[in-house]
């Protein structure tokens, strides 16, 4: 796929009146994930804990991906300082939902030395959106998410690591059987 597509992709806040007609044509290829996304996007007026976004092609208006962001927190398993005896609860932004259109999954971009996929570009847009929120709206130290097994390598390749011994977080209703992952907004967390 030609790398010029990068300039034709944009992220916009989901608005039911403007974007609802785009949803029926979107499929991520995974039935369970598609149902979870439907609960967010089809019931967006009931979903006050998340802000919904569409990643689309500017010219064709085709939906490339969908994602939802929400405020959250994590508890570091070690105290923040030597003087503190309790774990440190820190703010985070949770990527509550993320899906890439089946048509764009595993598509690599020509013209780059490294293997860069459309998914890498889209998750980069998500991280940019979170960075803007952290810089301009409310502070947070981490981006967290709960990954299905088939996407762990994708998120790892894009800077996320498993919670493991670093933090503790209670998963949401949509994350049963998923792996908790996070990424620091300020520096890479050692793997």
């Amino acid at each position: 796929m030609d790398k010029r597509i990068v300039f034709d992709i944009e992220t916009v806040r989901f608005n039911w009146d403007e974007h609802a007609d785009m949803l029926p044509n979107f499929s991520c290829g995974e039935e369970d994930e598609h149902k979870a996304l439907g609960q967010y996007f089809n019931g967006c007026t009931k979903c006050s804990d998340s802000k919904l976004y569409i990643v689309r092609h500017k010219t064709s208006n085709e939906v490339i991906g969908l994602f939802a962001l929400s405020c959250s927190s994590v508890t570091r398993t070690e105290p923040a300082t030597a003087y503190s005896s309790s774990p440190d609860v820190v703010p985070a932004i949770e990527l509550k939902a993320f899906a890439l259109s089946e048509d764009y999954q595993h598509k690599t971009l020509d013209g780059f030395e490294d293997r860069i996929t459309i998914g890498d570009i889209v998750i980069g847009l998500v991280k940019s959106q979170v960075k803007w929120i952290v810089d301009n709206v409310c502070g947070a130290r981490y981006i967290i998410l709960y990954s299905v097994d088939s996407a762990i390598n994708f998120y790892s390749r894009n800077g996320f690591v498993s919670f493991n011994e670093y933090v503790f977080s209670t998963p949401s209703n949509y994350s049963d059987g998923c792996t908790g992952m996070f990424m620091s907004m300020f520096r890479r967390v050692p793997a």
Side-chain angles (χ1 to χ4, degrees):
M1 187 170 274
D2 191 335
K3 70 179 178 181
R4 289 177 292 180
I5 192 170
V6 172
F7 301 109
D8 296 329
I9 297 174
E10 68 179 349
T11 302
V12 294
R13 272 288 307 281
F14 180 78
N15 177 302
W16 182 261
D17 295 332
E18 292 178 40
H19 305 119
D21 61 333
M22 301 167 116
L23 294 178
N25 298 326
F26 180 84
S27 174
C28 64
E30 298 288 332
E31 189 175 335
D32 289 342
E33 285 81 4
H34 196 74
K35 281 183 192 176
L37 281 170
Q39 291 178 5
Y40 278 107
F41 285 86
N42 291 327
C44 68
T45 55
K46 301 177 214 163
C47 194
S48 61
D49 70 329
S50 298
K51 297 301 177 199
L52 312 174
Y53 296 85
I54 289 181
V55 179
R56 68 180 178 190
H57 191 275
K58 290 178 189 176
T59 308
S60 69
N61 226 15
E62 180 181 10
V63 178
I64 296 169
L66 303 170
F67 66 97
L69 298 175
S70 181
C71 291
S72 188
S73 66
V74 293
T75 303
R76 291 198 300 194
T77 54
E78 293 183 14
T81 67
Y83 305 107
S84 173
S85 62
S86 62
D88 187 21
V89 176
V90 291
I93 294 183
E94 183 176 345
L95 179 57
K96 290 193 77 107
F98 177 81
L100 194 64
S101 168
E102 204 170 10
D103 296 336
Y104 288 93
Q105 292 176 16
H106 311 292
K107 302 282 188 200
T108 58
L109 299 175
D110 298 330
F112 287 100
E113 288 182 28
D114 295 329
R115 184 179 181 268
I116 296 176
T117 66
I118 295 292
D120 297 331
I121 300 301
V122 173
I123 198 70
L125 290 171
V126 171
K127 292 190 293 188
S128 293
Q129 184 68 43
V130 170
K131 182 73 172 133
W132 184 90
I133 292 167
V134 167
D135 288 346
N136 296 289
V137 180
C138 67
R141 219 177 278 171
Y142 302 110
I143 302 174
I144 63 171
L145 59 87
Y146 298 92
S147 177
V148 295
D149 287 342
S150 61
I152 290 173
N153 288 337
F154 167 75
Y155 289 119
S156 295
R157 186 174 76 238
N158 283 285
F160 291 87
V161 295
S162 175
F163 284 172
N164 292 336
E165 72 275 8
Y166 300 113
V167 297
F168 173 77
S169 179
T170 305
S172 64
N173 295 341
Y174 302 111
S175 38
D176 291 339
C178 294
T179 298
M181 301 184 83
F182 76 116
M183 183 179 90
S184 172
M185 292 302 304
F186 303 107
R187 61 178 162 66
R188 282 188 73 98
V189 177

